[in-house]
């Protein structure tokens, strides 16, 4: 799983998402000389590394509940602090963090409230309605739009949405390996029937769209 995600992300197909995230984070802490930034549910650290490269002056922590993902992260960089931890219990001091970002991962508003400084920001990347629609069309007879992110509907009053960007792009995916790596990054991988997987692995190429929201929230204590 970790290696499939690493292989897919290294193709650069999601680079525009990383670039937009980086741009927004820079804007969100432009007045802070050495911001403390946390990647919640960092996986193998693709976005963590990207942000560190763009903001070398920042202090970055990446954590994930998966030990194997964090082992992979540690092998790649010692410039970033890596932790095996749950989003429900982040081993970071109270009111210590300027920015938290979460990419296709979980948010725990109570944990985030505890560790954020007042006026701190959260950046969330979550699927839009048509995210990877073409991939889903190969797997399911009926493809429904992704529902609105429920987490954002249950926001406590201390978090306010201050901006929302809709990011969409076309990806030309060539070769069954890249297609299978993308599939393995998604929850659909666990639901796919053997027959559909076989059909999927015989596809030589696919044009597929990413469709995500980048939401910026401000926390006030
Ligand atoms: C879809 S992956 C996204 C990984 C990474 N953000 C990326 O986009 O490449 C979701 C990640 O959330 C992690 N995760 C799931 N539950 C978690 C929890 N309770 N606390 C921290 N991480 C969690 C998983 O191990 C996985 O690495």
């Amino acid at each position: 799983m970790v290696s499939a995600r690493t292989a897919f992300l290294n193709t650069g197909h999601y680079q525009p998402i990383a670039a937009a995230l980086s741009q927004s984070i820079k804007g969100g802490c432009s007045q802070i000389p050495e911001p403390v930034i946390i990647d919640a549910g960092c996986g193998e650290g693709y976005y963590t590394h990207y942000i560190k490269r763009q903001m070398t002056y920042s202090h970055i922590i990446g954590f994930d509940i998966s030990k194997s993902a964090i082992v992979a992260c540690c092998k790649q960089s010692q410039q970033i602090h890596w932790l095996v931890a749950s989003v429900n219990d982040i081993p970071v001091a109270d009111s210590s963090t300027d920015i938290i970002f979460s990419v296709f991962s979980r948010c725990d508003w109570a944990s985030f409230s505890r560790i954020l400084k007042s006026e701190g920001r959260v950046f969330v990347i979550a699927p839009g309605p048509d995210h990877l629609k073409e991939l889903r069309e190969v797997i399911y007879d009926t493809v429904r739009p992704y529902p609105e992110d429920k987490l954002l509907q249950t926001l406590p009053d201390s978090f306010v949405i201050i901006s929302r960007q809709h990011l969409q792009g076309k990806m030309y995916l060539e070769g069954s390996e890249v297609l299978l790596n993308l599939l393995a990054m998604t929850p659909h991988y666990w639901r796919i029937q053997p027959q559909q997987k076989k059909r999927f692995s015989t596809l030589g190429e696919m044009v597929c769209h990413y469709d995500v929201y980048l939401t910026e929230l401000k926390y006030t204590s």
Side-chain angles (χ1 to χ4, degrees):
M1 195 67 164
V2 170
S3 58
R5 197 158 56 208
T6 303
F8 180 81
L9 290 169
N10 285 343
T11 62
H13 288 297
Y14 276 4
Q15 190 273 343
I17 299 176
L21 176 66
S22 165
Q23 201 60 32
S24 295
I25 291 177
K26 274 187 191 169
C29 58
S30 56
Q31 307 297 318
I32 306 169
E34 294 185 15
V36 174
I37 300 176
I38 294 189
D39 183 355
C42 63
E44 87 308 324
Y46 172 75
Y47 298 93
T48 340
H49 284 111
Y50 193 96
I51 302 298
K52 180 65 181 172
R53 280 196 300 274
Q54 303 297 316
M55 301 175 70
T56 48
Y57 50 87
S58 60
H59 299 284
I60 302 211
I61 298 169
F63 76 84
D64 199 283
I65 204 163
S66 160
K67 189 176 168 188
S68 57
I70 293 299
V71 167
C73 290
C74 292
K75 287 181 183 159
Q76 287 185 66
S77 170
Q78 293 173 0
Q79 308 297 312
I80 294 168
H81 303 282
W82 303 108
L83 302 169
V84 177
S86 167
V87 73
N88 309 121
D89 185 16
I90 308 169
V92 167
D94 295 0
S95 310
S96 60
T97 305
D98 297 292
I99 303 277
I100 299 172
F101 66 93
S102 167
V103 183
F104 301 123
S105 198
R106 295 174 189 212
C107 296
D108 181 316
W109 303 116
S111 294
F112 289 1
S113 306
R114 183 183 66 73
I115 66 171
L116 278 170
K117 296 176 187 170
S118 191
E119 308 279 301
R121 305 291 164 97
V122 181
F123 294 85
V124 180
I125 299 268
D130 293 332
H131 188 50
L132 306 181
K133 190 175 170 201
E134 297 87 348
L135 179 144
R136 292 185 285 139
E137 282 170 349
V138 178
I139 303 173
Y140 305 111
D141 293 335
T142 311
V143 172
R144 296 190 192 91
Y146 268 108
E148 276 282 306
D149 193 340
K150 287 201 184 87
L151 268 171
L152 295 176
Q153 292 167 8
T154 57
L155 272 183
D157 290 344
S158 47
F159 287 92
V160 176
I161 295 176
I162 56 174
S163 72
R164 200 151 200 235
Q165 292 178 53
H166 197 181
L167 311 174
Q168 293 169 299
K170 192 187 260 189
M171 301 182 287
Y172 297 93
L173 307 174
E174 282 183 356
S176 56
E177 194 181 333
V178 71
L179 288 168
L180 286 167
N181 285 338
L182 175 60
L183 175 67
M185 284 170 62
T186 71
H188 313 297
Y189 179 80
W190 306 105
R191 297 180 199 138
I192 193 167
Q193 302 295 320
Q195 191 66 16
Q196 293 163 317
K197 191 166 182 186
K198 198 171 161 200
R199 188 169 148 220
F200 198 86
S201 58
T202 58
L203 293 173
E205 58 183 19
M206 179 189 282
V207 174
C208 192
H209 290 78
Y210 63 78
D211 175 28
V212 301
Y213 285 110
L214 165 53
T215 307
E216 177 179 4
L217 304 107
K218 183 164 88 170
Y219 168 68
T220 311
S221 61

